[in-house]
């Protein structure tokens, strides 16, 4: 069996007092196995280009084998492969600019943001260029229509001049459809400013804009009109919220200086484990089985992802979108909620401990930190009475908080489960993202909801456009 760093420890929810018998997963084995087989058959059907039965449309199963395909192509064709081109584009921009604005919303934004927060330096943009190893500062915009937020980013860029690398900036604009209003309007506004800062040098502007979009559509047409020498596709059959391992996530990640090969290797390792491991040792199937059992048997329809690291907040929000858009259909589907602890123990903790018994808490725990542990330390000013803990480090405090919180929940028969990431790095995040995408589609098949597509998102757009054009 391939090794994988990510561990899933469902121990807590097995406790009989939590309401799930020890044989819960064993009893679900057949159903979970059937859902896995269906998901894998979907992937094969999609890859074969065969006819998709009406009840399976849309079938965006292309994300499953994507990490393996990109790695295989990279190993056989190197720089000529898509991944090779992504890495080369990131290197080119690294040499030419000091800032990159990533425009996109929803699935065309959240994965890159999650990677930035989980794997880059927490103050990446504030570091001097040398301390960033010359990787550009990264800004996200177009993920809302917030006037003042965008004006603030434009302020920063207005002070830049295109005459030196320190002053130059670029745009990565991401939209699968190419027609999303938030992204399109942001692109128009940032493009106008880029043209100004390049003195209307059209060739330079074209070099500094990298579109990531479908083969056709308004953004594709715009990219052609601009003459952008480099652009990347979002493959058919990969939906927005499943696109983190396309250029949508990979180009921004490469621009942050992240190891995109390790990221894809993590995802590929999770694929292998998902295919081969039995229930009880299969993070994807176990996670689905436990969450579904608690929802079906105990009406626990709220999925709390409790991340024990600031850097994982955006990964949690990425998962919120994945679960909500995939399974929130036909008046069913669990409600996702991300909390960051210990921060949110001081806000939501009360409700999780004593509120409605409608939630299962899955902890995401980082086992080892990237930096040396910081000790509390001795002080001549001991009015805070911390000298007795002087030799304890912040990881020691965090560990005690995790154990203490779990124990408090268990003493009140509130179920929790743990996902352990060995580190908050590219490999572990690759495993985590693929685990959650696979779990979401497995759960969809298990409960008879098509996890692909998001028909409900269209309603607000229709009304918004009507109001906008009526004015
Ligand atoms: O998951 C999805 O499909 C959505 O969240 C989209 O990513 C989002 O609406 C942005 O769409 P587009 O990439 O077409 O601009």
């Amino acid at each position: 069996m391939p090794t994988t760093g990510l561990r899933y420890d469902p121990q807590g929810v097995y406790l009989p007092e939590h309401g799930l018998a020890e044989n819960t997963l064993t009893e679900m084995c057949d159903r979970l196995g059937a859902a896995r087989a269906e998901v894998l058959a979907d992937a094969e059907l999609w890859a074969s280009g065969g006819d998709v039965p009406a009840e399976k449309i849309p079938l965006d199963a292309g994300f499953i084998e994507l990490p393996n395909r990109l790695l295989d192509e990279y190993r056989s064709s190197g720089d000529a492969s898509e991944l090779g081109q992504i890495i080369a584009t990131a290197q080119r921009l690294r040499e030419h600019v000091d800032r990159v604005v990533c425009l996109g919303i929803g699935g065309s934004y959240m994965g890159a943001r999650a990677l930035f927060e989980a794997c880059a330096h927490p103050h990446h943009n504030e570091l001097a260029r040398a301390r960033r190893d010359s990787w550009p500062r990264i800004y996200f915009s177009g993920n809302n229509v917030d006037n003042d937020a965008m004006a603030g980013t434009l302020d920063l860029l207005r002070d830049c001049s295109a005459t030196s690398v320190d002053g130059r900036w670029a745009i990565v604009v991401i939209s699968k459809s190419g027609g999303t209003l938030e992204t399109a309007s942001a692109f128009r506004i940032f493009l106008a400013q880029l043209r100004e800062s390049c003195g209307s040098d059209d060739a330079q502007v074209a070099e500094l804009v990298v579109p990531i979009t479908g083969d056709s559509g308004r953004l594709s047409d715009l990219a052609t009109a601009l003459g952008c020498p480099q652009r990347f596709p979002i493959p058919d059959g990969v939906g927005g919220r499943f696109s983190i391992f396309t250029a949508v996530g990979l180009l921004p990640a490469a621009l942050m200086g992240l190891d995109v090969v390790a990221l894809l290797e993590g995802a590929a390792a999770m694929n292998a484990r998902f295919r081969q491991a039995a229930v009880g040792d299969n993070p994807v199937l176990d996670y689905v089985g436990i969450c579904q059992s608690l929802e079906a048997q105990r009406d626990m329809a709220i999925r709390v992802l409790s991340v024990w690291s600031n850097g994982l907040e955006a990964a949690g929000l990425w998962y919120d979108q994945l679960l909500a858009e995939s399974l929130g259909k036909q008046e069913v589907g669990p409600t996702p909620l991300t909390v960051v602890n210990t921060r949110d123990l001081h806000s939501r903790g009360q409700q999780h401990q004593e509120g409605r018994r409608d939630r299962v808490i899955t902890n995401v725990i980082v086992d080892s930190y990237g930096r040396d542990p910081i000790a509390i330390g001795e002080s001549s000013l001991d009015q805070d009475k911390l000298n007795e803990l002087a030799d304890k480090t912040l990881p020691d405090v965090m560990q005690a908080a995790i154990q203490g919180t779990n124990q408090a929940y268990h003493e009140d028969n509130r179920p929790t489960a743990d996902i352990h990431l060995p580190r908050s790095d590219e490999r572990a995040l690759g495993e985590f993202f693929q685990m959650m995408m696979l779990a979401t589609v497995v759960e969809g098949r298990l409960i008879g909801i098509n996890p692909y597509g998001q028909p409900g998102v269209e309603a607000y757009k229709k009304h918004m456009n009507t109001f906008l054009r009526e004015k």
Side-chain angles (χ1 to χ4, degrees):
M1 186 182 304
T3 57
T4 181
L6 186 143
R7 287 190 295 121
Y8 184 73
D9 177 9
Q11 210 69 29
V13 292
Y14 281 130
L15 295 173
E17 61 267 31
H18 291 163
L20 282 186
E22 283 185 30
N23 60 355
T24 294
L25 281 182
T26 324
E27 284 177 354
M28 283 185 79
C29 246
D30 290 349
R31 288 180 62 216
L32 288 167
R36 167 171 59 184
E38 185 174 353
V39 163
L40 293 173
D42 287 346
E44 276 172 31
L45 175 61
W46 179 83
S48 73
D51 286 340
V52 177
E55 71 278 9
K56 289 226 160 187
I57 295 174
L59 181 66
D60 286 341
F63 83 91
I64 297 174
E65 286 307 315
L66 184 68
N68 304 67
R69 178 175 68 72
L70 288 173
L71 285 170
D72 288 348
E73 285 171 10
Y74 183 58
R75 283 170 190 141
S76 61
S77 308
D79 292 349
S81 67
E82 187 177 343
L83 186 58
Q85 294 290 308
I86 288 171
I87 293 169
T89 301
Q91 287 290 356
R92 176 176 71 78
L93 290 176
R94 178 193 199 184
E95 285 159 24
H96 286 91
V97 304
D98 196 51
R99 296 168 202 260
V100 172
V101 185
C102 296
L103 305 177
I105 192 166
S108 291
Y109 154 64
M110 303 189 81
R113 175 103 213 185
L115 286 164
F116 189 50
E117 292 194 11
C119 299
H121 188 287
H123 298 288
H124 174 91
N125 284 355
E126 279 72 54
L127 298 178
R129 187 170 165 81
R131 287 221 38 216
R132 281 180 272 122
D133 210 9
S134 300
W135 292 109
R137 304 170 209 265
I138 305 290
Y139 302 92
F140 294 97
S141 195
N143 51 65
N144 202 340
V145 279
D146 184 320
N147 184 72
D148 290 2
M150 191 183 290
T153 309
L154 290 165
D155 284 345
L156 284 178
L157 301 171
R158 198 168 291 117
D159 297 337
C160 297
S161 96
T163 51
S164 74
V165 64
D166 285 344
R168 271 196 297 270
W169 58 281
I171 299 173
V172 173
V173 52
I174 308 172
S175 176
K176 183 171 184 191
S177 63
T180 302
L181 183 60
E182 290 91 336
T183 311
S185 52
F187 184 42
R188 180 172 284 214
I189 293 163
F190 279 94
L191 182 61
Q193 184 145 331
L194 185 64
R195 293 176 110 169
E196 200 178 303
S197 79
C198 291
S200 295
D201 176 343
D202 290 346
Q204 190 181 24
V205 170
E207 296 272 350
L208 296 178
V209 174
V210 184
I212 301 174
T213 190
D215 288 339
S216 60
R218 294 176 188 182
L219 178 56
S220 174
D221 294 346
L222 203 42
T224 305
L226 283 168
C228 300
Q230 251 159 342
R231 54 192 280 182
F232 291 96
I234 305 175
D236 279 345
V238 180
R241 58 191 175 278
F242 297 94
S243 68
I244 188 168
F245 298 128
T246 69
V248 170
L250 295 175
L251 180 60
L255 282 163
M256 296 161 201
L258 304 188
D259 183 345
V260 288
V261 172
L263 183 70
L264 292 171
E265 284 173 346
M270 183 53 65
N271 271 345
R273 192 163 172 193
F274 169 62
R275 280 178 181 279
Q276 294 160 17
V279 170
D281 188 36
N282 190 313
V284 175
L285 299 184
D286 294 359
Y287 177 72
V288 174
I290 287 161
C291 292
Q292 252 310 304
S293 305
L294 286 163
E295 188 172 339
Q297 296 174 21
R298 297 185 55 193
D299 217 8
M300 292 184 154
I302 297 182
R303 303 273 165 88
V304 179
L305 200 68
S306 171
V307 301
W308 293 84
S309 156
N310 287 0
L312 292 176
E313 181 166 21
L317 296 177
W318 168 89
Y319 179 60
D320 284 359
Q321 185 212 5
L322 177 69
L323 193 66
E325 276 195 353
S326 301
L327 303 185
K329 295 167 184 162
Q330 299 171 32
E331 303 189 8
V332 300
T335 300
L337 172 67
T338 289
V339 298
V340 180
N341 286 336
T342 62
R343 183 189 78 189
D344 294 347
L345 291 175
H346 298 256
S347 59
R348 296 185 182 276
Q350 165 64 34
Q351 188 182 42
H352 292 166
Q353 185 69 55
E354 295 185 346
R356 286 174 190 270
R357 294 180 182 276
D358 56 2
R359 61 204 60 206
V360 55
I361 294 176
T362 300
N363 296 300
V364 183
I365 299 163
V366 179
D367 284 339
S368 110
Y369 289 83
R371 308 291 298 270
D372 290 341
I374 302 171
I376 290 175
E378 291 277 349
S379 172
S380 56
L381 297 170
D382 192 35
Q383 283 76 5
D384 52 15
K385 301 292 175 219
L386 287 179
N387 275 351
E388 59 180 318
L389 298 176
D391 61 339
K392 299 291 182 196
T393 64
L394 297 188
D396 293 334
V397 178
M398 183 61 103
Q399 183 57 28
I402 294 169
Q403 281 179 323
T405 308
N406 268 350
Q407 187 172 328
Y409 292 151
H410 296 169
E411 282 172 0
D412 196 45
N413 298 335
R414 290 174 185 264
T416 68
D418 299 338
I419 294 173
H420 288 264
L421 308 186
R423 286 166 303 283
S424 186
D425 66 6
E426 294 90 330
R427 164 92 192 193
L429 267 294
E431 291 184 56
F432 173 77
F433 291 129
Q434 191 73 355
M435 170 187 164
M436 293 316 223
M437 289 193 287
L438 289 167
T440 302
V441 295
V442 166
E443 185 165 359
R445 295 311 185 202
L446 193 73
I447 62 175
I449 293 286
N450 185 349
Y452 304 112
Q454 57 285 334
V457 177
E458 294 311 310
Y460 97 88
K461 290 185 190 168
K462 196 177 85 192
H463 293 307
M464 177 174 76
N465 275 308
T466 308
F467 285 125
L468 203 52
R469 281 163 175 77
E470 267 173 3
K471 272 199 165 181

